[in-house]
């Protein structure tokens, strides 16, 4: 994975399936199911991880604030937290 070589990863997943025990086979089946997405992950440098982090922070802020009376104040709070 560190070398970002999809072909090698695909060979390991497909060729060695019968060698693993049941618990690992479940993981291997999941890898096979999402092989197309894993290929995109390894071939491209883009990720939505940063965006997901921002969404998580907003949801946590919304949860702990018990709702703001004003959307303007809520937006300001989000922007303040985003700067830090």
């Amino acid at each position: 994975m560190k070398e970002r070589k999809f072909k090698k990863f695909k060979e390991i997943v497909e060729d060695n399936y019968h060698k693993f025990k049941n618990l690992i086979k479940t993981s291997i089946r999941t890898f096979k199911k999402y092989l197309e997405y894993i290929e995109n992950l390894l071939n491209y440098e883009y990720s939505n991880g940063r965006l997901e982090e921002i969404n998580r922070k907003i949801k946590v802020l919304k949860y702990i604030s018990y709702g703001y009376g004003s959307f303007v104040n809520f937006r300001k709070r989000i922007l303040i937290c985003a700067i830090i």
Side-chain angles (χ1 to χ4, degrees):
M1 293 296 266
K2 287 184 180 181
E3 297 170 359
R4 303 182 77 85
K5 294 183 180 178
F6 176 71
K7 289 180 183 179
K8 188 174 183 179
F9 176 77
K10 188 175 178 181
E11 287 174 11
I12 292 170
V13 169
E14 291 179 348
D15 296 338
N16 297 319
Y17 179 73
H18 63 281
K19 295 179 184 177
F20 296 113
K21 297 192 186 241
N22 288 339
L23 187 61
I24 301 296
K25 283 185 177 183
T26 305
S27 299
I28 299 294
R29 269 186 260 133
T30 304
F31 285 146
K32 282 184 173 184
K33 182 178 178 181
Y34 295 107
L35 209 55
E36 176 185 350
Y37 304 111
I38 294 171
E39 180 180 13
N40 288 337
L41 172 74
L42 295 176
N43 288 336
Y44 302 107
E45 297 292 326
Y46 302 108
S47 172
N48 66 342
R50 180 75 174 127
L51 183 62
E52 293 295 333
E53 177 187 1
I54 293 168
N55 288 340
R56 182 188 54 80
K57 285 182 179 180
I58 291 171
K59 286 181 182 181
V60 169
L61 179 63
K62 189 170 136 181
Y63 175 75
I64 63 172
S65 66
Y66 299 112
Y68 276 91
S70 166
F71 176 75
V72 175
N73 290 339
F74 182 58
R75 183 177 179 273
K76 287 178 185 178
R77 180 64 187 236
I78 291 170
L79 294 174
I80 289 170
C81 290
I83 294 171
I84 297 174

